[in-house]
Amino acid sequence: MLKYKEIFLGNACNNRCLHCSYRVENSLPIGVPAVLDLLNQKHEDGVLFYGGEPTLRNDFIQIVQAANKAGYRRVRLLTNGRALSDMQFLYELFQAGCSLFDIKLWASNPSLHDYLTQTSNSFLETIRGLENLAGIPDEKFVCVRIPVSKENLVDIENTVITALNFGVHRIILSLQDYRSPFQTVLPHIRNAINISIFNRIWILTEGLPFCVMQGLEKHMSEIYRGRDTLYERNFKQHKYCLDCVYHDLCPGMERGYLETFGDRDFIPVTANTHLEDIKKLYE
């Protein structure tokens, strides 16, 4: 698996997203000396900075430069993309050594996106950031992360199409809340995957178990980076997990979902020709 050192730079953010794991008041950001100490504990080839919104820090360029100086070959930023609407700042990021971007896009239109971010004009700034990235000839990798929630579920396909317009390299569909039953969620997930495949762009999911993703296992981000994610999820195995061939790999389903809908949506996987290959990815 491709591993990144993940460094949380504080929860300050210029969005107020409805489904944010880090929306906590009065949390002090980690200081530069502490960041440098973490960077010097180098066990990975890449580093991921996330928040909150890391680009709000006045010292963020300095932090990226420090990561580059410490020898990290891949410096990656998880961001809402709004700061990238400033072309000068974007150029400074590239010069400092950051060329991998994960950008959150909540919807295909400003009204829904801004509702979910609880911030006016956030959609337009995020889109401008994607436009600026698309226009830079430097070598880069751009991933659009689409948080999936009850509010934007029916817009997922259109959001994927919107992301594809900016020449992105990867799309991630990250389940952010579990208030919708899977029989409602999965048709949109499958449609979105098919749209992305048709356009030859790699697409992955987060937060969906193996039994739900039968036939689409290669699109599960967990088989490439493990079950540890940046988002707080509380998984629990249920009675059908015991009979599933993925029992030792899969932590089950999010507790909130099981409490709301029960385990009727899950059918254990009794056999899979790719099981051994998938297990090797976890080693």
Side-chain angles (χ1 to χ4, degrees), residues 220-262:
M220 295 175 62
S221 64
E222 289 85 356
I223 71 172
Y224 306 107
R225 65 182 304 270
R227 282 281 166 178
D228 294 333
T229 71
L230 301 177
Y231 303 105
E232 295 180 4
R233 293 188 173 102
N234 187 5
F235 289 106
K236 173 187 176 183
Q237 290 196 340
H238 49 81
K239 62 183 179 183
Y240 297 117
C241 292
L242 293 174
D243 299 321
C244 184
V245 296
Y246 294 111
H247 177 263
D248 294 332
L249 302 180
C250 182
M253 193 55 229
E254 212 278 340
R255 285 179 181 270
Y257 185 94
L258 294 173
E259 291 169 1
T260 302
F261 302 107

Side-chain angles (χ1 to χ4, degrees), residues 164-203:
L164 292 171
N165 288 330
F166 298 102
V168 302
H169 304 92
R170 179 183 296 159
I171 293 173
I172 295 178
L173 305 175
S174 180
L175 205 58
Q176 292 291 284
D177 78 84
Y178 293 84
R179 295 173 296 150
S180 299
F182 278 141
Q183 60 261 35
T184 302
V185 174
L186 286 175
H188 295 286
I189 296 291
R190 291 181 181 275
N191 288 342
I193 289 174
N194 287 333
I195 290 168
S196 193
I197 291 173
F198 181 79
N199 286 275
R200 299 183 179 181
I201 298 299
W202 190 232
I203 185 168

Side-chain angles (χ1 to χ4, degrees), residues 139-152:
E139 186 176 347
K140 57 187 178 290
F141 188 91
V142 180
C143 169
V144 164
R145 177 181 292 272
I146 302 173
V148 179
S149 69
K150 186 174 183 178
E151 293 86 355
N152 69 355

